[in-house]
Amino acid sequence: MLRRLTLCLGLASILGACDPVVPIAPIEDSEFEGFTVYSVIPDNPVGIVYLFHGSGGSANFALKIETLDQSNELVRRGYGWVATESTERDGNRRWNVNNPSIASNQDLARLARLHAHIVDSGAVTDATPIFGIGMSNGARMVTLFGQVFADNGYPIVAVAPVMGRAAPSVQLAGGLQIPGYWVNAVNDTVVPPAGVAQDQQASAALGVTSVLARKGEENLLPIRFTRIPAVDVEEAELIYDQLAASGVWDANGKRVVDLGTAVSIVAGLTPPPGTGATVTQIRNQISALLALHQFTALYALPLADFFDAQRLAAEP
């Protein structure tokens, strides 16, 4: 039990592990123009944050453990958030990141109408600061959304592209011209980290406030899995024991096989009996600790600090 408590306290300082990640405020489930919308909007929010899923995703991106952990921190600070989904609901289910027109890009146009709808509802005003967080294809979209909306007079303050590059039109313009908190991962093979760093550096070269957080690989610890709502400390130990027995990690939780072998072995594992975790929940946590192409809440505090700082700097 002492070992478990020590691990809990150590990882809790980084990831808030030990306590399950659940919404700290009721999430509204609605539709706008036939598309799912999830949102948490307090009275008089200090800002409104739009969330953008990656390829193959949906508004459910907002309900994932790592995303919730990030948005919970923002809600604690008085922000609201909104998540919807790309117009393309067949095929790759991606945002249109190639058309920078707020009029003819269906995604951008609908986001403008959605924002107007939220303003009309009285939840926010035309002056409420706007932010964005996007993962992968959503990272490209959040840069396009941020730049195009800023160019059209919206009060865009900052965006956070995670594990993804800038939209093509943003790159062609020389870089993102609004503050950005960029995140890449050292073992990401879907969007290699060098490309993300290149886009962040292009923005910084313009004199724009820009930060790059470089996600490294973490050791395997049992307490990480208590982030999953249906998993308690004992069940987390069962998951850990199964993973430790796979031969991917040593007794200290350090990976001892090549990354490709690790991914292959983990892909073949199923949750051990007696745990309430799903395969997807476990694999997402493993992908995050391996620094693969996976959204992470490791930077929940510094990202929220960044948004706070840019918001305060933008105040008249």
Side-chain angles (χ1 to χ4, degrees):
M1 182 59 69
L2 179 61
R3 168 174 171 267
R4 291 174 180 171
L5 180 59
T6 301
L7 288 171
C8 182
L9 293 175
L11 194 59
S13 65
I14 301 173
L15 280 171
C18 301
D19 292 328
V21 177
V22 296
I24 63 170
I27 296 175
E28 182 178 350
D29 181 352
S30 61
E31 281 193 359
F32 180 74
E33 298 184 356
F35 293 87
T36 299
V37 176
Y38 294 117
S39 62
V40 172
I41 306 178
D43 293 335
N44 303 311
V46 300
I48 188 75
V49 184
Y50 284 88
L51 306 177
F52 297 92
H53 64 76
S55 297
S58 69
N60 286 341
F61 168 65
L63 308 181
K64 292 185 175 182
I65 290 170
E66 298 299 306
T67 317
L68 272 177
D69 204 7
Q70 176 66 76
S71 61
N72 279 346
E73 179 58 33
L74 292 166
V75 170
R76 288 187 190 98
R77 300 184 187 211
Y79 292 83
W81 61 261
V82 178
T84 187
E85 49 205 8
S86 59
T87 302
E88 182 190 43
R89 290 291 83 207
D90 297 314
N92 292 320
R93 289 179 287 170
R94 290 177 177 171
W95 301 97
N96 180 350
V97 300
N98 297 308
N99 180 358
S101 170
I102 199 170
S104 61
N105 182 322
Q106 288 183 301
D107 288 327
L108 290 174
R110 179 160 49 85
L111 286 164
R113 294 191 299 272
L114 174 59
H115 186 71
H117 171 72
I118 293 170
V119 171
D120 288 343
S121 73
V124 302
T125 71
D126 287 326
T128 302
I130 301 173
F131 301 80
I133 300 173
M135 167 67 191
S136 193
N137 168 250
R140 285 195 184 270
M141 186 60 188
V142 82
T143 64
L144 183 66
F145 163 80
Q147 192 64 66
V148 170
F149 274 55
D151 292 344
N152 280 271
Y154 288 81
I156 298 289
V157 174
V159 296
V162 179
M163 314 295 174
R165 302 199 59 177
S169 63
V170 174
Q171 293 176 343
L172 288 173
L176 185 65
Q177 298 173 39
I178 57 175
Y181 191 99
W182 302 74
V183 180
N184 63 9
V186 295
N187 294 327
D188 190 344
T189 58
V190 178
V191 181
V196 178
Q198 179 181 332
D199 288 343
Q200 182 270 330
Q201 291 159 9
S203 183
L206 297 174
V208 177
T209 303
S210 185
V211 171
L212 175 63
R214 187 169 181 265
K215 172 70 173 64
E217 189 168 342
E218 306 164 51
N219 287 352
L220 177 70
L221 296 172
I223 209 65
R224 165 177 280 277
F225 301 102
T226 61
R227 295 170 62 72
I228 301 171
V231 174
D232 60 22
V233 173
E234 287 72 23
E235 292 169 341
E237 291 280 359
L238 292 176
I239 297 170
Y240 171 82
D241 290 343
Q242 181 195 51
L243 293 169
S246 70
V248 172
W249 294 271
D250 65 16
N252 296 314
K254 183 176 181 180
R255 177 168 57 86
V256 292
V257 300
D258 67 86
L259 191 63
T261 299
V263 171
S264 178
I265 291 175
V266 169
L269 297 177
T270 58
T275 65
T278 67
V279 172
T280 298
Q281 288 173 326
I282 293 175
R283 289 177 182 171
N284 285 349
Q285 290 300 309
I286 295 171
S287 293
L289 74 87
L290 287 176
L292 298 174
H293 190 69
Q294 179 68 39
F295 190 84
T296 175
L298 184 63
Y299 304 105
L301 293 177
L303 193 159
D305 287 344
F306 183 84
F307 279 5
D308 280 346
Q310 303 316 306
R311 176 175 56 82
L312 294 174
E315 289 181 351

